[in-house]
Amino acid sequence: MKIVVFDPALENVNAGDEIISTSVQSIPGLAVGDAERLTTHRLLRKDERRLVSEADLVVLSGTNAISSRMERFRQWLIDPDLAIRMRNKLLLVGVGWWQYQDEPNLYTRNLLRIILTDKLTHSTRDAYTNKRITALGFSSLMTGCPTMWNLEERAQRPLGRNDRAVITITDYKRSDPEADRRWISVVKEKYSEVGIVGMGPGDGSYFRELGIPDVVWKGAGVSSLDAALPGADFVGTRLHAGVRALQCGQPALILAVDNRAFEISKDSGLNVESRWDTLAIHRSIHGRVQPSPLSIDYAAIRKWREAFGAHAGLR
C-alpha cells in the first residue's frame, strides 16, 4: 500500500510539530521509510501532487489544521486540485480543530466530504473535534494526541520538589505581555534557577521584548528542551513542550493560551491552568496540587491502531 503523510513538522521551525511528528512516526506504517512525507505549509509541486494521486491512503497527522472556514483559516494549504487528487483518501490521525468556531460553512463541509475517507475510522485528539467529524457523517474515535498514546496513567507528578524550572512562551500569543511577565515572576519567586527554551521562530525575540532578568536562555528546539529538562519542573505555554516533559519523566504544568490545551485537558486530565490565573499557578508550583491520573483511552487507541494496521496490510 502506498501511503503519503502530510507532516506539519516538514519545512517548519515549530518544535511542537517535531514532537508530534516523532510520535506519529512511531506508529507502524507511518514511520520514515514506510510512507512519503509532504509539508502542509506551502502549495505542493507537480511531482508532490503526483505522489498524492498515486497514493492508496493519505494521512494528515497531529495538527490543528481543520477549521470551520477552510478557505480562510489556511493552516493547511489545500487547493481544489489537491482535494480532487485525494478524494476519499484522507485519514485523520490525532488531528484537532483550529479553534472554537461556529458550524463549518458550505465550502468546508463539501471539502471535507470530498477528501476524508469513509473506509477507515478517523482519530481525533479531543472530544470537540471528534464531535465535528462525526457530525459530518464519518466514523471517528477520540484517541487523544499521539504524543500521549504511550504515557502511563501516573505520568503526572506534583511540581515543587525540584529547585530548577524550565519555561516556554508563545511568540504568536504576545498580545498580553503583562500576563506573561506576571506568571514568569511567580515562577522566579519559587525556583532558584529558571531557564527558558524557544519552541517557535519568534520566541527568542519575544523573550527579549519581555525584558525579564535572571531567566537563562537555554537555546531553541527539542534537543535544547531535552537537555534542560532533567531535574527540572516544566511550566509554560507550549502544549507539546509540556507533554515532552511528561515523556521525559518530569513534572509539568501547561499554561493554556487557546482552546487546544483546555480541550485536551478536559478529555485527558492533563495538568493545565490558564496563563492568566497566577493564583492557580502559584498553588501548583508549590506542590499544593496533586495532578490527576491521566485519562487516556487506551482501548480506543488500540482499536484504531488495529483497524489501521489491518487496512494497511501490517502484521
Side-chain angles (χ1 to χ4, degrees):
M1 170 174 280
K2 293 183 180 179
I3 301 176
V4 167
V5 176
F6 278 99
D7 185 346
L10 289 184
E11 301 182 22
N12 184 18
V13 291
N14 185 318
D17 285 333
E18 182 182 343
I19 294 169
I20 297 170
S21 179
T22 299
S23 295
V24 171
Q25 289 175 39
S26 71
I27 301 171
L30 299 183
V32 173
D34 293 339
E36 296 283 351
R37 315 193 86 74
L38 299 174
T39 182
T40 60
H41 298 288
R42 59 168 171 77
L43 293 173
L44 298 186
R45 302 187 302 266
K46 286 185 179 180
D47 59 317
E48 294 169 325
R49 291 171 184 266
R50 190 176 306 115
L51 290 174
V52 174
S53 296
E54 295 172 352
D56 300 300
L57 183 68
V58 180
V59 170
L60 179 63
S61 63
T63 174
N64 62 326
I66 305 297
S67 76
S68 295
R69 304 289 183 271
M70 292 288 285
E71 81 286 5
R72 179 179 176 189
F73 300 103
R74 306 191 74 189
Q75 297 289 96
W76 178 22
L77 295 179
I78 175 173
D79 56 27
D81 173 73
L82 184 57
I84 295 301
R85 290 172 186 266
M86 69 172 107
R87 180 189 292 272
N88 199 23
K89 290 184 183 181
L90 185 69
L91 178 67
L92 305 179
V93 180
V95 169
W97 211 263
W98 178 66
Q99 286 185 9
Y100 296 127
Q101 292 181 297
D102 295 332
E103 293 299 311
N105 64 9
L106 181 62
Y107 175 92
T108 299
R109 293 196 304 273
N110 288 339
L111 174 66
L112 294 178
R113 285 171 176 153
I114 288 171
I115 63 178
L116 291 180
T117 181
D118 59 8
K119 300 174 184 176
L120 278 168
T121 296
H122 297 274
S123 155
T124 58
R125 71 183 185 189
D126 55 65
Y128 179 85
T129 305
N130 206 60
K131 183 178 178 181
R132 293 288 198 188
I133 297 302
T134 55
L136 290 168
F138 295 94
S139 174
S140 180
L141 284 171
M142 200 285 289
T143 60
C145 181
T147 57
M148 300 179 67
W149 287 7
N150 293 323
L151 291 178
E152 297 180 354
E153 285 185 1
R154 299 287 177 180
Q156 299 194 118
R157 296 186 286 119
L159 286 80
R161 298 174 184 173
N162 292 315
D163 294 327
R164 298 189 303 108
V166 174
I167 66 172
T168 58
I169 53 178
T170 304
D171 63 324
Y172 59 85
K173 292 290 184 180
R174 60 175 76 189
S175 59
D176 193 351
E178 283 307 313
D180 285 325
R181 291 189 183 99
R182 283 194 295 270
W183 73 256
I184 293 173
S185 295
V186 170
V187 172
K188 284 177 57 183
E189 290 172 1
K190 168 65 178 73
Y191 297 94
S192 60
E193 179 186 320
V194 178
I196 183 169
V197 175
M199 299 294 287
D203 287 357
S205 62
Y206 182 39
F207 172 58
R208 290 189 292 273
E209 288 176 18
L210 290 173
I212 300 172
D214 303 321
V215 175
V216 181
W217 179 257
K218 295 289 187 178
V222 179
S223 59
S224 295
L225 180 65
D226 288 351
L229 279 172
D233 288 354
F234 171 85
V235 185
T237 60
R238 291 285 186 171
L239 169 61
H240 290 100
V243 175
R244 183 66 172 181
L246 295 180
Q247 291 177 343
C248 294
Q250 299 304 126
L253 173 63
I254 296 162
L255 306 182
V257 294
D258 57 26
N259 66 306
R260 290 171 295 169
F262 280 131
E263 284 301 317
I264 290 177
S265 177
K266 284 180 188 177
D267 301 320
S268 68
L270 192 64
N271 193 19
V272 173
E273 298 288 357
S274 168
R275 72 163 165 171
W276 290 274
D277 193 343
T278 53
L279 179 59
I281 296 168
H282 182 277
R283 291 181 66 248
S284 184
I285 65 177
H286 282 80
R288 297 174 189 165
V289 176
Q290 174 65 52
S292 63
L294 289 172
S295 178
I296 298 173
D297 194 339
Y298 300 108
I301 295 168
R302 183 169 56 253
K303 181 178 180 181
W304 182 87
R305 294 181 76 144
E306 289 173 353
F308 170 73
H311 185 81
L314 304 174
R315 295 186 183 274

